[in-house]
Amino acid sequence: MGEKAILTTLVRIKGSSEGVVSVKSREPIDKDLFIECSRALSRLYVGIPIKCGDLICQNILNTGVDIIATKNIKRK
């Protein structure tokens, strides 16, 4: 196992002018998995409304770590 850190990235939103929402891993993930995790998240689209702390992806790449939203996005 390599060095671990919190993964932060963006996930696309369906039906919002915002376009993306910022997300992060709930716990540190092995840095060697960052690119693979980002690739998996780039294929996701989430619907609105989104609240900070909402679950975006459960158990990403079978790491046991969840990805959560870090921003609120409301319907307009």
Side-chain angles (χ1 to χ4, degrees), residues 30-41:
D30 195 332
K31 282 187 172 182
D32 295 339
L33 295 175
F34 273 23
I35 291 173
E36 265 187 273
C37 288
S38 294
R39 228 179 254 144
L41 291 169

Side-chain angles (χ1 to χ4, degrees), residues 3-60:
E3 195 177 332
K4 291 188 172 206
I6 298 290
L7 170 69
T8 59
T9 189
L10 301 170
V11 172
R12 290 179 284 191
I13 301 172
K14 249 192 272 187
S16 171
S17 61
E18 298 261 349
V20 294
V21 63
S22 55
V23 298
K24 71 173 190 166
S25 57
R26 202 182 296 262
E27 298 164 32
I29 294 178
D30 195 332
K31 282 187 172 182
D32 295 339
L33 295 175
F34 273 23
I35 291 173
E36 265 187 273
C37 288
S38 294
R39 228 179 254 144
L41 291 169
S42 74
R43 292 190 289 269
L44 284 183
Y45 281 88
V46 294
I48 52 175
I50 300 165
K51 284 189 287 188
C52 188
D54 278 359
L55 183 65
I56 301 298
C57 178
Q58 187 173 11
N59 188 20
I60 190 157

